[in-house]
Short mmCIF file of all heavy atoms in Angstrom, two decimals:
data_model
loop_
_atom_site.label_atom_id
_atom_site.label_comp_id
_atom_site.label_asym_id
_atom_site.label_seq_id
_atom_site.Cartn_x
_atom_site.Cartn_y
_atom_site.Cartn_z
N VAL G 559 29.37 24.12 5.82
CA VAL G 559 28.88 22.73 5.76
C VAL G 559 30.02 21.81 6.21
O VAL G 559 31.19 22.02 5.90
CB VAL G 559 28.37 22.37 4.36
CG1 VAL G 559 29.43 22.60 3.26
CG2 VAL G 559 27.88 20.95 4.20
N VAL G 560 29.66 20.80 6.95
CA VAL G 560 30.55 19.67 7.29
C VAL G 560 29.95 18.42 6.82
O VAL G 560 28.76 18.10 7.12
CB VAL G 560 30.75 19.61 8.84
CG1 VAL G 560 31.39 18.20 9.27
CG2 VAL G 560 31.63 20.69 9.33
N ARG G 561 30.67 17.70 5.98
CA ARG G 561 30.14 16.44 5.42
C ARG G 561 30.67 15.30 6.22
O ARG G 561 31.91 15.27 6.56
CB ARG G 561 30.59 16.27 3.93
CG ARG G 561 29.91 17.29 3.03
CD ARG G 561 30.81 17.50 1.77
NE ARG G 561 30.44 18.70 1.16
CZ ARG G 561 29.59 18.84 0.14
NH1 ARG G 561 28.98 17.78 -0.29
NH2 ARG G 561 29.28 19.98 -0.37
N VAL G 562 29.88 14.31 6.48
CA VAL G 562 30.32 13.11 7.17
C VAL G 562 30.69 12.11 6.12
O VAL G 562 29.86 11.74 5.28
CB VAL G 562 29.20 12.63 8.07
CG1 VAL G 562 29.70 11.28 8.74
CG2 VAL G 562 28.78 13.66 9.09
N GLU G 563 31.95 11.65 6.20
CA GLU G 563 32.37 10.71 5.17
C GLU G 563 31.96 9.31 5.58
O GLU G 563 32.24 8.80 6.68
CB GLU G 563 33.93 10.79 5.11
CG GLU G 563 34.39 10.36 3.74
CD GLU G 563 35.92 10.51 3.66
OE1 GLU G 563 36.44 11.60 4.01
OE2 GLU G 563 36.59 9.53 3.30
N LEU G 564 31.18 8.65 4.72
CA LEU G 564 30.78 7.23 5.10
C LEU G 564 31.73 6.26 4.30
O LEU G 564 31.88 6.43 3.11
CB LEU G 564 29.37 7.08 4.59
CG LEU G 564 28.28 7.97 5.20
CD1 LEU G 564 26.90 7.63 4.58
CD2 LEU G 564 28.25 7.77 6.71
N LYS G 565 32.37 5.41 5.11
CA LYS G 565 33.23 4.48 4.50
C LYS G 565 32.45 3.49 3.61
O LYS G 565 32.93 3.00 2.61
CB LYS G 565 34.12 3.75 5.55
CG LYS G 565 34.97 4.81 6.24
CD LYS G 565 36.15 4.17 7.02
CE LYS G 565 37.01 5.28 7.59
NZ LYS G 565 36.24 6.10 8.62
N GLU G 566 31.30 3.15 4.06
CA GLU G 566 30.44 2.31 3.29
C GLU G 566 29.02 2.79 3.53
O GLU G 566 28.77 3.43 4.49
CB GLU G 566 30.61 0.82 3.65
CG GLU G 566 30.45 0.60 5.18
CD GLU G 566 30.74 -0.86 5.54
OE1 GLU G 566 31.76 -1.38 5.07
OE2 GLU G 566 29.98 -1.39 6.26
N PRO G 567 28.12 2.33 2.65
CA PRO G 567 26.72 2.86 2.78
C PRO G 567 26.15 2.41 4.16
O PRO G 567 26.46 1.30 4.63
CB PRO G 567 25.98 2.19 1.63
CG PRO G 567 26.93 1.78 0.66
CD PRO G 567 28.22 1.54 1.40
N ILE G 568 25.34 3.27 4.74
CA ILE G 568 24.66 2.84 5.95
C ILE G 568 23.45 1.97 5.62
O ILE G 568 22.72 2.27 4.67
CB ILE G 568 24.14 4.13 6.72
CG1 ILE G 568 25.38 4.90 7.25
CG2 ILE G 568 23.19 3.74 7.86
CD1 ILE G 568 25.07 6.19 7.99
N VAL G 569 23.30 0.85 6.29
CA VAL G 569 22.24 -0.07 6.02
C VAL G 569 21.54 -0.37 7.35
O VAL G 569 22.15 -0.86 8.29
CB VAL G 569 22.81 -1.39 5.43
CG1 VAL G 569 21.74 -2.49 5.31
CG2 VAL G 569 23.46 -1.20 4.04
N ALA G 570 20.21 -0.01 7.41
CA ALA G 570 19.50 -0.19 8.67
C ALA G 570 19.50 -1.71 9.05
O ALA G 570 19.41 -2.62 8.19
CB ALA G 570 18.05 0.24 8.45
N PHE G 571 19.65 -1.95 10.33
CA PHE G 571 19.56 -3.26 10.95
C PHE G 571 20.62 -4.28 10.44
O PHE G 571 20.43 -5.53 10.52
CB PHE G 571 18.12 -3.89 10.70
CG PHE G 571 17.05 -3.01 11.21
CD1 PHE G 571 16.06 -2.55 10.40
CD2 PHE G 571 17.06 -2.55 12.56
CE1 PHE G 571 15.04 -1.67 10.86
CE2 PHE G 571 16.05 -1.73 13.11
CZ PHE G 571 15.02 -1.33 12.22
N LYS G 572 21.73 -3.77 10.02
CA LYS G 572 22.77 -4.70 9.52
C LYS G 572 23.27 -5.50 10.71
O LYS G 572 23.47 -6.74 10.61
CB LYS G 572 23.94 -3.86 8.98
CG LYS G 572 24.84 -4.67 8.04
CD LYS G 572 25.67 -3.85 7.12
CE LYS G 572 26.12 -4.76 5.98
NZ LYS G 572 26.64 -4.08 4.87
N LYS G 573 23.48 -4.85 11.85
CA LYS G 573 23.97 -5.59 13.05
C LYS G 573 22.92 -6.64 13.47
O LYS G 573 23.27 -7.76 13.83
CB LYS G 573 24.12 -4.57 14.25
CG LYS G 573 25.31 -3.65 14.11
CD LYS G 573 25.64 -2.98 15.45
CE LYS G 573 24.47 -2.42 16.22
NZ LYS G 573 23.97 -1.10 15.87
N GLU G 574 21.77 -6.25 13.47
CA GLU G 574 20.65 -7.18 13.97
C GLU G 574 20.59 -8.38 13.06
O GLU G 574 20.24 -9.54 13.53
CB GLU G 574 19.32 -6.45 13.93
CG GLU G 574 19.10 -5.44 15.06
CD GLU G 574 19.69 -4.08 14.79
OE1 GLU G 574 20.51 -3.93 13.78
OE2 GLU G 574 19.50 -3.11 15.53
#
Side-chain angles (χ1 to χ4, degrees):
V559 56
V560 165
R561 293 157 201 267
V562 178
E563 207 178 307
L564 300 178
K565 295 196 177 63
E566 53 185 44
I568 291 178
V569 172
F571 305 122
K572 201 160 198 166
K573 289 195 312 279
E574 285 80 350

